[in-house]
Amino acid sequence: MSADVSARLAWPDDAESIVRVQLASWRATYADLISAEVLESLDPAELADRWRTTLDSPKDARMRVLVALERADVRGFTLVHPSYDPDSDQVADGEVGEFVIDPDHHRAGHGSRLLQAAIDTLAADNFTRAVWWVGASDDALRSFVTESGWEADGAHRELAAEGGATLKQIRLHTGLG
């Protein structure tokens, strides 16, 4: 007997579940960058409205949100879109902009299914290369991504967080041909 698991394009009705997964991930992943007070002050309804807008009226026709499901429960999501990096070609280069698996459901295969769905979606949208910014200190995610065939391309950046903290990221890439 196998589990009822899948990945599909997200629907506007998935917005609340996406926010639930996103906030759980932020609490687990960014506790040293985002204070508990800031996380608690976020309005889930407002965040869900933003996701619904992204799902209903994306900025680009090639911006897609996909969800990983276990039965009807959202266990993760990814946002793929053209890469907006200054050195990218927005026609040829797609990006995994967000990739989040519910912390309570890691290592259950949701990430692999979701990553394959993201790659398939980017390829179907005629991107020939994909990029993905990952936290420089997120060894688990970086290992997962590089074991899937992605490689660092030498680009790096720092994103400012509250209180002067920074999130250091490296960019990975893969061909979609």
Side-chain angles (χ1 to χ4, degrees):
M1 183 178 203
S2 63
D4 180 11
V5 294
S6 60
R8 64 161 167 78
L9 286 171
W11 303 328
D13 287 349
D14 293 322
E16 287 83 4
S17 295
I18 290 170
V19 170
R20 176 187 49 75
V21 170
Q22 185 175 42
L23 291 176
S25 175
W26 287 357
R27 286 183 188 100
T29 305
Y30 301 120
D32 56 335
L33 294 173
I34 305 172
S35 71
E37 295 80 27
V38 169
L39 286 171
E40 292 305 317
S41 71
L42 296 173
D43 180 2
E46 181 181 324
L47 294 172
D49 286 342
R50 289 183 189 176
W51 277 110
R52 262 189 293 285
T53 298
T54 298
L55 294 166
D56 283 335
S57 306
K59 295 177 187 177
D60 185 294
R62 297 170 301 157
M63 178 178 280
R64 313 233 192 258
V65 179
L66 300 111
V67 290
L69 300 172
E70 183 173 351
R71 294 174 201 68
D73 297 325
V74 172
R75 299 297 189 212
F77 70 92
T78 188
L79 171 69
V80 296
H81 53 77
S83 175
Y84 303 115
D85 290 339
D87 63 343
S88 290
D89 175 345
Q90 290 183 15
V91 174
D93 297 338
E95 180 173 339
V96 175
E98 287 203 52
F99 189 89
V100 179
I101 303 298
D102 187 320
D104 291 337
H105 297 279
H106 282 193
R107 302 209 176 274
H110 302 299
S112 297
R113 271 186 299 287
L114 196 55
L115 179 55
Q116 188 59 57
I119 294 298
D120 290 347
T121 300
L122 289 165
D125 282 336
N126 295 316
F127 293 109
T128 57
R129 183 176 90 114
V131 298
W132 187 345
W133 289 97
V134 299
S137 62
D138 191 341
D139 296 335
L141 179 60
R142 192 173 64 255
S143 292
F144 168 72
V145 177
T146 57
E147 288 170 9
S148 299
W150 296 64
E151 297 177 340
D153 68 6
H156 62 279
R157 68 182 180 188
E158 292 185 17
L159 303 176
E162 73 172 42
T166 59
L167 173 62
K168 296 179 181 182
Q169 295 183 315
I170 60 170
R171 188 173 66 188
L172 305 176
H173 71 104
T174 192
L176 299 174

